Amino acid sequence: MRGIAAEMAATDDIWRSYRRPRVVMREHLARARSEPRALVFLLLALTVIFIGQWPRLSRLSYQMPDQPMVGLMMGTLLALLAMIPVFYAAAALGHLGAKLIGGQGSWYGARVALFWALLAVSPLMLLQGLVAGFIGAGPQLALVSGLVFIVFVVFWMAGLRVAEFETETS
């Protein structure tokens, strides 16, 4: 019996994604198709990414006193919200790219793959924000940023593989 109480929390799925990203993606795609759920994945990811930027913004505000923290936060928030159509376009490009190499998935599956990858990598974005805020630019930030990018690409490609090559078109 699989009811609402039996569904795993998103945080559990995030941690499981670090061990078995394709299994988690299969579970998400096995649920009833839900555009609101896909959008929630994206909005939650952007929220965590926004929070992860606070230490960096605080450092920037301290270094440049003429830039108030509130203004920096509002600018960052608006920039992240402006990226929503870009993420939808990136998901579409991922779907089209997969179709070129024989993918049989759906536009929805491609969106879930990208939006889930963003949400799953968001804890690392918190770490990246802490490094940017407390240490600043340097090899440590470059290393963490590279790690975030690599993990994101691995999660997205694993999700696209499931969405495009392991599921039927819906």
Side-chain angles (χ1 to χ4, degrees):
M1 181 165 100
R2 189 155 168 93
I4 293 175
E7 299 258 342
M8 295 190 89
T11 52
D12 293 336
D13 285 349
I14 289 170
W15 298 127
R16 289 185 324 117
S17 290
Y18 284 83
R19 287 177 284 134
R20 302 186 140 217
R22 290 179 19 208
V23 169
V24 174
M25 182 55 54
R26 278 187 210 107
E27 292 170 1
H28 285 300
L29 292 175
R31 295 180 182 142
R33 182 181 172 131
S34 172
E35 288 295 339
R37 183 184 311 116
L39 181 59
V40 165
F41 288 163
L42 178 60
L43 294 177
L44 286 173
L46 294 177
T47 300
V48 175
I49 291 167
F50 174 63
I51 292 168
Q53 296 302 304
W54 292 356
R56 180 186 64 81
L57 296 175
S58 179
R59 179 185 187 93
L60 189 59
S61 178
Y62 177 77
Q63 291 173 339
M64 299 179 356
D66 60 324
Q67 296 291 320
M69 178 70 170
V70 173
L72 293 171
M73 290 176 73
M74 288 304 295
T76 301
L77 177 63
L78 291 174
L80 285 171
L81 291 175
M83 291 295 295
I84 290 174
V86 174
F87 289 121
Y88 273 88
L93 289 175
H95 176 64
L96 292 173
K99 278 188 120 20
L100 287 175
I101 58 172
Q104 299 294 316
S106 66
W107 299 98
Y108 171 76
R111 283 191 297 277
V112 171
L114 175 61
F115 299 168
W116 180 256
L118 284 167
L119 183 56
V121 81
S122 64
L124 289 178
M125 295 291 293
L126 292 172
L127 174 63
Q128 182 183 29
L130 286 172
V131 172
F134 289 107
I135 299 174
Q140 300 88 348
L141 182 58
L143 178 68
V144 172
S145 297
L147 175 67
V148 169
F149 179 74
I150 290 168
V151 172
F152 167 73
V153 169
V154 166
F155 285 169
W156 188 19
M157 292 303 111
L160 265 180
R161 179 176 173 186
V162 170
E164 296 290 342
F165 298 100
E166 296 180 20
T167 60
E168 293 186 24
T169 305
S170 26

